[in-house]
Amino acid sequence: MNAIDYLRISLIDRCNFRCQYCMPEGAALDYLLKSALLQDDELLLLLREVFTPLGFTRFRLTGGEPLLRPNLAELIAHIAALPQTQDISLTTNGFLLAEQAADLYAAGLRRINISLDSLDADTFDSLAGTKGRSRWQQVWNGIQTAYEIGFDPLKLNVVVIPGVNDSELMDLAALSIERAWHVRFIEFMPIGNDDLFSDRGWIPSEDIRQQVRDRWGLDEGFVLGNGPADVFKIPGAKGTLGFISQMSECFCDRCNRMRLSADGWLRPCLLNETGQIDLKTALRQGREPAELRQQVQQLLQLKPEINYKERDAGTTGRYAKTMSQIGG
Ligand code: SAM
Ligand code: SF4
């Protein structure tokens, strides 16, 4: 059985982008009120007294867009200072990264994943829902800044959408050759925008690997991380290529993570809510950390039986929450 030692923490459900595959423009999203978010002191108390005593040592901060969270660098410094913390990382759309990267690094963050779905500014803006406000250059500046500051590994996340960005996947893969940039191709999942998924479908990772083999060849690779990516590299490249294949392959038996949503729900799986616990409400009702620890321990024991292929679609018959709400 895998040790469950990795917690993905959503810091905020809001975002300054409207990615078509995640929270498209016009989608009815009920944002959380500020007071409904798990506050910094609540999160730190949970980490200190509930999660680290149970063996959680690795934390990823995500959202929504985590760079919109006030006092982010300070929060990171506190998490990095916990004696048990072995690894802290962050996933961002990169738009605010150029201005925040130095503070985040100084706070102790070293690993960063930045979403970059296209090298073409128009395609990028169309996918990110930022047409007319051209965000590509600013994101690119964020990536360059993070690289120059020394973030390592620096990963670039690409959600592959047939007919939208699939013609430029080899250009994106080529970003891993000259610099130690780790490009990860993510299979599009039917969560966030069912209509787009029905229209476009998804491309299996193996098809992309074959394109890479045909062009450059493909070696086994390695990059530090906690994720379910299969890692390869273009022969001689400085960076790697990762493939996250949740549609074509079930990696539940390798899963080592739990997720804490921005409003403090602990869930055992992205797509399955079995046994989830409302930790924020419990804390605010004055429940003791020891009691919460026991509840989380029970969920940990249940986790190996939870499988995202047996998706719990919630009461709506579809996925009750989007990636931005759960923390992708
Ligand atoms: N806003 C940040 C970002 O975009 O990197 C962090 C949150 S975002 C929800 C985290 C990851 O989820 C991103 O890499 C995004 O591309 C991915 N994602 C969102 N919706 C997805 C979907 N329907 N299928 C596959 N990946 C998705
Ligand atoms: Fe925002 Fe990230 Fe979702 Fe795009 S994928 S809408 S950047 S949370």
Side-chain angles (χ1 to χ4, degrees), residues 96-151:
L96 298 173
L97 192 55
E99 61 193 73
Q100 293 191 23
D103 287 347
L104 300 180
Y105 194 87
L109 187 72
R110 292 293 178 272
R111 301 208 303 112
I112 198 157
N113 291 13
I114 307 159
S115 290
L116 183 74
D117 295 323
S118 176
L119 290 171
D120 176 83
D122 289 337
T123 308
F124 181 93
D125 285 315
S126 157
L127 255 178
T130 54
K131 257 186 172 161
R133 286 171 285 150
S134 194
R135 300 305 197 214
W136 186 89
Q137 189 62 51
Q138 181 71 13
V139 169
W140 186 253
N141 293 348
I143 295 169
Q144 297 280 0
T145 306
Y147 183 59
E148 281 156 23
I149 285 174
F151 281 94

Side-chain angles (χ1 to χ4, degrees), residues 210-232:
Q210 193 54 48
Q211 283 186 53
V212 179
R213 273 188 210 104
D214 292 345
R215 173 103 168 244
W216 293 287
L218 191 62
D219 289 344
E220 296 283 315
F222 172 79
V223 63
L224 186 69
N226 301 312
D230 295 313
V231 183
F232 297 84

Side-chain angles (χ1 to χ4, degrees), residues 239-310:
T240 62
L241 300 178
F243 297 87
I244 302 179
S245 317
Q246 65 281 6
M247 296 300 292
S248 58
E249 186 199 330
C250 179
F251 41 66
C252 296
D253 58 339
R254 294 191 258 153
C255 184
N256 60 353
R257 65 193 53 193
M258 293 260 211
R259 291 169 192 268
L260 187 60
S261 72
D263 55 351
W265 282 86
L266 180 69
R267 52 190 295 151
C269 172
L270 179 62
L271 295 177
N272 191 323
E273 295 177 344
T274 306
Q276 65 174 334
I277 308 168
D278 182 357
L279 289 173
K280 181 196 69 189
T281 303
L283 270 186
R284 290 183 187 179
Q285 286 170 344
R287 304 254 296 282
E288 290 299 322
E291 192 189 334
L292 302 183
R293 226 169 21 240
Q294 207 174 17
Q295 271 187 280
V296 174
Q297 174 119 51
Q298 281 164 4
L299 188 55
L300 278 169
Q301 281 159 359
L302 204 63
K303 163 108 175 135
E305 289 155 34
I306 293 171
N307 183 314
Y308 74 77
K309 291 284 176 191
E310 290 151 25

Side-chain angles (χ1 to χ4, degrees), residues 15 17-19 21-23 64-65 93 324:
C15 189
F17 283 8
R18 285 288 173 276
C19 296
Y21 50 74
C22 178
M23 45 197 307
E65 176 45 40
N93 63 28
S324 61

